[in-house]
Amino acid sequence: NADQEYFADGITEDLIIDLSRLSNLQVLARNTSFKYKSLAVDPTTLKNDLSVSHFLEGSIRRAGDQIRITSQLTDVDKGTPIWAERYDRKLDDIFAVQDDVVKNIISALSIHLTASEETALSITKAGNVEAYDLFLQGQWLGNIRTRQDNALAQQFYRESIQKDPDYSRPYGALAVAITHAVNAQWSDTPTLDRDRALELARKAISLDNTSPHAYWALGFTHLFREEYQQAEDIITEAVKIAPNYADGYGLLALIKNHVWKAEEAIEYTEKAMKLNPLYTYEYLYNLGVGYYTLEQYDKAIDYLQKALERNPNFSRARMFLSASYTGSGMDDEAEWETQQVLIQRPQVSITKIEEESAYADHPVRDRFVAQLRKSGLPEK
């Protein structure tokens, strides 16, 4: 049902993250998997497009306090199912069903588990289903990235916390939503909000120190507080917990770009792309900034243009594109891109960039600012 899509998406993403914890299983990320949502999936097409050996598909139907989940694991070479199950349960059993699906996949694929993975899998999930439902509604809205939806998402996360104060996920998600709001200049109290986000993200880990989501939220929060080493240390822990966590490597790449370590940023981005071959514009942006840092402007322009094709409103990518054009001697193109930035963000200026950018002080940052100035970005 359309009004339950957020619930189905949330459970699907949870299964992806659970499976990404397994070191002997490569799992494609949410963005790639969701491209096939509601489509008739042909095993041969999946094999050719994504080079996968198996795919998991299913459906979720929810009515009142009852839930039906079907799940099927298919070998793409043979085109035949190797495991299938239907669950007719009370909604309160949703966490047990997720655990069962993961364990059956491990058994069907004969995956060898490390001792730490066996320990993690032996811990049965539990939680308040109402809090989980509120959290998933917040996630659905939070992914839309508008001011209104961000505010609504924050409200759902707060209600989830009220429903179950010991549930880790909404604390981390609320920290991320608040950080996004501050970054987008939707906050009247940015310093207080960044401090609150840090407090919430730390709370998430204190409640569940095995959750890669919680570590991602704390790393993201540290990054935009310009606490770069803390951010890197935390996200490194996230990918230790989940070795196939594409968003973890994507955030590591972003952190490396913020301290102008281009080679490592490119390496992490390419690793994330392997796990998420139908990647988002952020991955292209990371590559563009990396090549900009290396003064390989042709490559930077190519990747930044591709990022903007996917998200024309991403003004930060447009700024780096303008600077890359300037670096290539393409002054007319640079001036045009800067004018587009000013149409999208009329208040942006050199002063604001220098005050608000989370990029570390470095000669590359000085070059970036000088090139934006040359392209016509106003001083104040």
Side-chain angles (χ1 to χ4, degrees):
N1 296 333
D3 62 352
Q4 291 296 312
E5 190 172 4
Y6 75 89
F7 193 78
D9 282 4
I11 291 173
T12 305
E13 185 169 13
D14 282 353
L15 287 171
I16 290 169
I17 296 298
D18 285 345
L19 291 166
S20 73
R21 294 169 178 258
L22 307 178
S23 56
N24 290 322
L25 181 67
Q26 180 172 312
V27 186
L28 298 186
R30 168 199 165 106
N31 192 67
T32 295
S33 297
F34 278 32
K35 293 286 185 181
Y36 297 89
K37 186 172 67 172
S38 302
L39 299 178
V41 179
D42 174 59
T44 303
T45 300
L46 281 185
K47 182 180 179 180
N48 293 338
D49 290 352
L50 302 176
S51 301
V52 296
S53 61
H54 298 80
F55 72 93
L56 179 70
E57 61 181 336
S59 64
I60 296 172
R61 178 174 294 177
R62 178 178 170 185
D65 65 347
Q66 298 292 319
I67 190 163
R68 170 175 290 179
I69 296 180
T70 64
S71 192
Q72 179 173 288
L73 184 68
T74 298
D75 182 318
V76 298
D77 283 327
K78 297 177 181 177
T80 56
I82 61 172
W83 169 77
E85 188 66 81
R86 189 180 84 178
Y87 302 89
D88 288 296
R89 300 283 185 86
K90 293 282 189 183
L91 186 58
D92 289 346
D93 291 334
I94 186 61
F95 305 110
V97 171
Q98 290 183 40
D99 285 342
D100 194 61
V101 170
V102 170
K103 289 173 183 176
N104 275 295
I105 290 170
I106 291 168
S107 176
L109 297 178
S110 301
I111 295 169
H112 175 73
L113 300 178
T114 66
S116 62
E117 288 167 353
E118 286 183 349
T119 300
L121 284 170
S122 69
I123 301 171
T124 302
K125 285 182 183 176
N128 181 304
V129 172
E130 291 181 73
Y132 182 59
D133 188 83
L134 289 163
F135 163 74
L136 293 183
Q137 291 183 68
Q139 291 291 86
W140 177 268
L141 291 164
N143 285 327
I144 300 174
R145 302 281 185 90
T146 67
R147 183 171 190 166
Q148 180 181 7
D149 289 308
N150 179 281
L152 289 170
Q154 289 190 41
Q155 184 58 38
F156 274 115
Y157 296 142
R158 291 189 177 97
E159 290 176 15
S160 178
I161 290 168
Q162 290 174 357
K163 189 67 67 173
D164 184 359
D166 295 325
Y167 181 32
S168 167
R169 297 281 297 283
Y171 288 95
L174 182 55
V176 171
I178 289 172
T179 301
H180 276 309
V182 175
N183 291 349
Q185 300 179 340
W186 297 334
S187 168
D188 295 326
T189 55
T191 301
L192 289 175
D193 284 348
R194 288 207 189 278
D195 289 345
R196 176 62 175 152
L198 182 62
E199 178 186 342
L200 288 162
R202 285 173 171 168
K203 178 72 171 178
I205 290 180
S206 73
L207 290 169
D208 185 358
N209 63 5
T210 69
S211 168
H213 300 93
Y215 286 94
W216 195 97
L218 182 56
F220 184 79
T221 304
H222 275 305
L223 171 60
F224 290 99
R225 292 171 59 88
E226 300 181 32
E227 296 162 352
Y228 307 113
Q229 191 59 54
Q230 294 98 314
E232 181 179 347
D233 291 346
I234 288 291
I235 300 303
T236 300
E237 189 64 29
V239 296
K240 284 181 183 177
I241 294 170
N244 292 297
Y245 186 24
D247 286 347
Y249 295 109
L251 185 51
L252 274 172
L254 188 62
I255 293 165
K256 292 297 185 181
N257 267 332
H258 274 75
V259 293
W260 311 106
K261 294 184 177 179
E263 291 89 351
E264 292 174 75
I266 292 167
E267 179 183 349
Y268 281 128
T269 303
E270 290 174 346
K271 187 174 183 68
M273 284 175 161
K274 289 180 181 178
L275 294 166
N276 193 3
L278 301 180
Y279 41 80
T280 65
Y281 65 90
E282 289 101 335
Y283 289 35
L284 294 163
Y285 169 73
N286 269 331
L287 288 176
V289 174
Y291 284 113
Y292 169 81
T293 300
L294 296 173
E295 296 185 76
Q296 296 182 29
Y297 293 124
D298 288 347
K299 286 185 177 180
I301 289 168
D302 181 46
Y303 284 117
L304 292 165
Q305 285 177 336
K306 288 176 179 176
L308 286 165
E309 286 171 7
R310 299 190 185 192
N311 183 359
N313 297 318
F314 190 18
S315 61
R316 182 68 65 176
R318 203 171 290 282
M319 290 182 201
F320 274 100
L321 180 56
S322 174
S324 297
Y325 279 136
T326 299
S328 296
M330 302 168 68
D331 292 344
D332 289 345
E333 290 85 348
E335 290 173 12
W336 190 89
E337 292 296 342
T338 294
Q339 288 305 309
Q340 297 307 301
V341 171
L342 290 167
I343 290 170
Q344 292 174 343
R345 295 179 57 189
Q347 305 304 317
V348 75
S349 65
I350 296 295
T351 300
K352 280 190 175 293
I353 292 293
E354 291 179 325
E355 289 176 352
E356 297 169 4
S357 171
Y359 283 85
D361 287 335
H362 190 276
V364 178
R365 176 172 164 163
D366 296 338
R367 183 203 337 147
F368 176 62
V369 170
Q371 288 169 335
L372 287 177
R373 182 180 285 116
K374 184 178 179 182
S375 71
L377 194 70
E379 204 67 32
K380 293 184 180 179

